Amino acid sequence: MAAIPRASVLFVCVHNAGRSQMAAAWLRYLSQGSVEVRSAGTLPAEHLNPQAVAAMSEVGIDLVGLTPRVLTPEMVKSSDYVITMGCGDTCPVFPGKQYRDWALQDPAGQGLDVVRRIRDEIKERVEDLVAEISRNGRDADVTGHRADDAA
């Protein structure tokens, strides 16, 4: 029996400095390395949002040293799940991918209390995503889609 390939997830927001970085960090942590994780932005900032770094540090997740990355079509093509957060129509769409749009407040310019709430909402959504990937993994083909979804 062939091994089921590891699912891959791409988180995309505009600046890749807050929401997508927090989501990627949560997925790395919660999946314990069982999911390939990437994040990118349509117009990446120079640095991560310091409030996002501080909020994640409070829960023991270190974002120090990470830098925003520009979104490329290749990133989307090589991902099973593409989670967008406020980038709208600028995110490329390819067939065969599972897309989710998470409507999350942008942490840019927000105080730490607001960013904490965003962090916690992202964690809840990532927990749901991990559960979905786990369920789909049992019946997945190499594209990451469930066999019964093809009908």
Side-chain angles (χ1 to χ4, degrees):
M1 175 187 241
I4 296 173
R6 197 165 66 145
S8 60
V9 176
L10 171 64
F11 293 101
V12 184
C13 67
V14 176
H15 299 296
N16 191 223
R19 295 168 288 189
S20 57
Q21 292 281 355
M22 289 191 287
W26 274 124
L27 184 54
R28 283 186 199 96
Y29 177 79
L30 294 170
S31 73
Q32 300 176 347
S34 66
V35 176
E36 182 181 354
V37 182
R38 292 188 273 297
S39 71
T42 55
L43 295 169
E46 288 189 35
H47 306 286
L48 263 56
N49 178 327
Q51 299 291 37
V53 174
M56 294 301 285
S57 179
E58 290 178 350
V59 294
I61 298 176
D62 186 6
L63 300 183
V64 174
L66 298 179
T67 56
R69 297 177 52 191
V70 67
L71 177 67
T72 66
E74 292 75 26
M75 288 177 171
V76 178
K77 286 180 186 177
S78 63
S79 299
D80 298 311
Y81 294 82
V82 180
I83 313 297
T84 59
M85 304 172 196
C87 62
D89 293 337
T90 61
C91 294
V93 175
F94 294 98
K97 307 299 172 191
Q98 295 195 37
Y99 289 87
R100 308 285 187 283
D101 185 49
W102 290 356
L104 295 162
Q105 183 176 0
D106 189 346
Q110 301 295 329
L112 190 54
D113 286 341
V114 172
V115 177
R116 284 182 185 121
R117 285 194 301 273
I118 296 167
R119 173 201 66 202
D120 295 345
E121 183 178 352
I122 290 170
K123 179 184 181 193
E124 290 175 13
R125 289 174 184 247
V126 169
E127 288 171 334
D128 291 343
L129 180 63
V130 169
E132 177 184 344
I133 290 170
S134 178
R135 283 190 310 270
N136 287 348
R138 286 189 290 259
D139 303 319
D141 63 18
V142 293
T143 65
H145 294 95
R146 292 174 53 95
D148 57 352
D149 286 346

